[in-house]
Amino acid sequence: MEKIYASMKSIASYVPKNCISNADFEKILDTSDEWITKRTGIKTRYFADDDEDSSALGVKAAEIAIKRAGMQSSDIDLVICATLSPDYLGMPSNACLISSRLGIENKPAFDITTACSGFIYLLSLAKSFIESHTYSNILIVGAEKISSILDFSDRSTCVLFGDGAGAAVIGSTKNENERIVDVNISANGKYNDFLMTPRCLGTKLHFSNEFSVSQVDKIHSYLKMKGNETFKLAVKTLANDVKEILLKNDINIKDVSYFIPHQANLRIINAVGDMIEIDPSKVVITVQKYGNTSAASIPMAIDDIYKNGRLKKGDLLLLDAFGGGLTWGSSLLYFNGE
Ligand code: ACO
């Protein structure tokens, strides 16, 4: 069989309209803009409307990604969505909801749950499916409405996260300089209690729905995080993971056009950047604007440099992510969008 490579043909994102500043949190919590900025780098994040679920955010990003790939929905033969905040817990999957709203029928669609590493896991799956000639054009979507699962009385978590979506079309190429070079994924469930949504229901649950507040209180639980332990493990794991993928592919950090890490905390990004000795001007940072949007964070950051004209076809991207599970991963790829 002819050798083909998986290739990122487009990137897109969608940011919901409600901008929440650190000052907004000062009104409801014992916190300050100074603490949040100093400890995380975050200044603002965006929250979706009540009637805007994570799949709706995903559809908006997906429509742009398909258009930018020069395709139509009918060209897509697989849809995969990464989310920790699906519309419904269990079923239907966000991928099925997104497919349906895009008019894609009788094509496979499924979700994955790897928290903030979602986009890297999506790349790994898409690369395997393309290079094994199983599918031709795969829509991958990271879509999150984390505001639905935040405990707004827990200052150590609720100030960190935002809503949003990112999407990409992964197709094939015969040109090595347009390929997804490599994807590393890994996990260690030993640390499962570092980041959890114990007994959490889907984002369709609103306080105004059929549940009374007292019932919701009993069954609804929120995102919980052992922040400090996660922070330390994230820095060490990410730096090692990135060094490993560069070494394995014999690529020098100087040849990387942009380093696009998961946007959880500016201090993690800077620490990893220092450890891998990358030129700081090549590090893409959006955490100050969007906060941590989990599976949507990396595609939103890639789209940020695409939209402002910094990202060009042929640029070599180095991605890394770390999240609940615990899961982590990295990728090297040549961007192949127009
Ligand atoms: N405002 C003011 N004070 C606060 C706030 C806040 N919003 N949040 C915590 N504090 C206080 C704590 O109560 C604590 O006070 P104490 O010393 O009196 O007990 C103090 O600040 C220090 O708390 P730490 O948790 O030690 O602070 P740290 O410097 O570790 O920062 C943070 C916390 C921002 C959560 C950081 O640990 C972090 O970013 N962790 C990693 C996040 C991450 O990488 N997650 C992975 C991906 S997420 C996913 O997969 C969904």
Side-chain angles (χ1 to χ4, degrees):
M1 215 183 282
E2 192 182 13
K3 174 75 190 161
I4 54 166
Y5 303 102
S7 177
M8 185 181 281
K9 304 246 170 166
S10 69
I11 190 73
S13 66
Y14 176 73
V15 184
K17 67 173 188 301
N18 305 309
C19 182
I20 311 294
S21 68
N22 292 344
D24 291 323
F25 281 102
E26 286 178 350
K27 292 176 202 151
I28 58 164
L29 286 168
D30 177 17
T31 189
S32 65
D33 173 50
E34 191 195 353
W35 190 96
I36 301 170
T37 307
K38 199 167 151 209
R39 306 307 291 166
T40 73
I42 299 167
K43 298 297 283 185
T44 55
R45 72 290 287 145
Y46 291 80
F47 286 173
D49 286 331
D50 266 2
D51 61 355
E52 198 176 32
D53 298 311
S54 55
S55 69
L57 304 179
V59 168
K60 297 254 177 55
E63 284 171 339
I64 305 168
I66 292 170
K67 196 167 167 211
R68 285 187 184 158
M71 294 182 190
Q72 299 185 328
S73 294
S74 52
D75 296 315
I76 300 296
D77 49 12
L78 170 65
V79 178
I80 326 174
C81 179
T83 182
L84 65 78
S85 51
D87 290 11
Y88 301 97
L89 182 75
M91 61 186 171
S93 68
N94 266 18
C96 280
L97 297 170
I98 291 168
S99 296
S100 152
R101 282 188 232 161
L102 293 173
I104 300 171
E105 289 184 14
N106 305 320
K107 302 285 167 62
F110 61 92
D111 285 1
I112 60 165
T113 310
T114 54
C116 299
S117 312
F119 195 72
I120 306 284
Y121 272 69
L122 289 174
L123 284 175
S124 175
L125 286 167
K127 184 176 189 303
S128 303
F129 279 129
I130 296 281
E131 293 181 0
S132 60
H133 296 256
T134 311
Y135 300 107
S136 304
N137 297 308
I138 302 176
L139 174 67
I140 57 172
V141 185
E144 302 283 12
K145 187 180 178 183
I146 302 181
S147 60
S148 285
I149 55 167
L150 290 176
D151 175 355
F152 285 99
S153 65
D154 177 6
R155 66 178 182 174
S156 67
T157 54
C158 72
V159 301
L160 304 175
F161 294 90
D163 301 337
V169 173
I170 309 298
S172 66
T173 181
K174 290 176 190 152
N175 183 343
E176 280 200 3
N177 298 321
E178 295 176 349
R179 78 195 195 282
I180 295 174
V181 179
D182 199 5
V183 191
N184 266 352
I185 51 172
S186 196
N188 192 341
K190 186 168 85 176
Y191 303 108
N192 65 75
D193 63 341
F194 277 33
L195 276 145
M196 289 192 108
T197 51
R199 297 189 311 281
C200 198
L201 294 177
T203 62
K204 277 287 182 192
L205 182 73
H206 300 301
F207 282 77
S208 54
N209 279 5
E210 65 265 36
F211 297 98
S212 73
V213 172
S214 60
Q215 282 170 311
V216 170
D217 277 346
K218 277 186 209 142
I219 59 177
H220 198 283
S221 70
Y222 302 97
L223 187 149
K224 297 187 192 315
M225 176 164 72
K226 292 184 179 174
N228 202 266
E229 290 94 324
T230 308
F231 185 103
K232 287 180 200 149
L233 200 58
V235 172
K236 200 167 72 181
T237 308
L238 287 171
N240 287 342
D241 199 46
V242 166
K243 284 181 192 163
E244 203 177 292
I245 199 168
L246 288 166
L247 191 68
K248 183 174 154 208
N249 292 284
D250 197 20
I251 290 178
N252 191 298
I253 191 76
K254 291 193 172 61
D255 297 324
V256 168
S257 313
Y258 293 106
F259 173 47
I260 308 176
H262 170 52
Q263 308 285 316
N265 185 316
L266 185 59
R267 290 188 293 139
I268 297 180
I269 296 171
N270 287 340
V272 174
D274 287 349
M275 286 165 91
I276 64 171
E277 297 178 4
I278 187 151
D279 173 350
S281 70
K282 293 181 172 180
V283 183
V284 176
I285 298 169
T286 56
V287 69
Q288 74 285 7
K289 288 194 282 193
Y290 304 139
N292 181 348
T293 57
S294 193
S297 123
I298 289 181
M300 286 173 78
I302 302 175
D303 192 43
D304 213 65
I305 54 168
Y306 177 82
K307 281 190 298 199
N308 66 27
R310 287 168 69 202
L311 178 61
K312 300 279 183 265
K313 185 175 173 137
D315 280 344
L316 178 59
L317 308 185
L318 172 62
L319 318 178
D320 82 31
F322 186 90
L326 292 174
T327 58
W328 62 92
S330 55
S331 180
L332 277 164
L333 65 96
Y334 293 101
F335 180 65
N336 190 26
E338 294 299 336

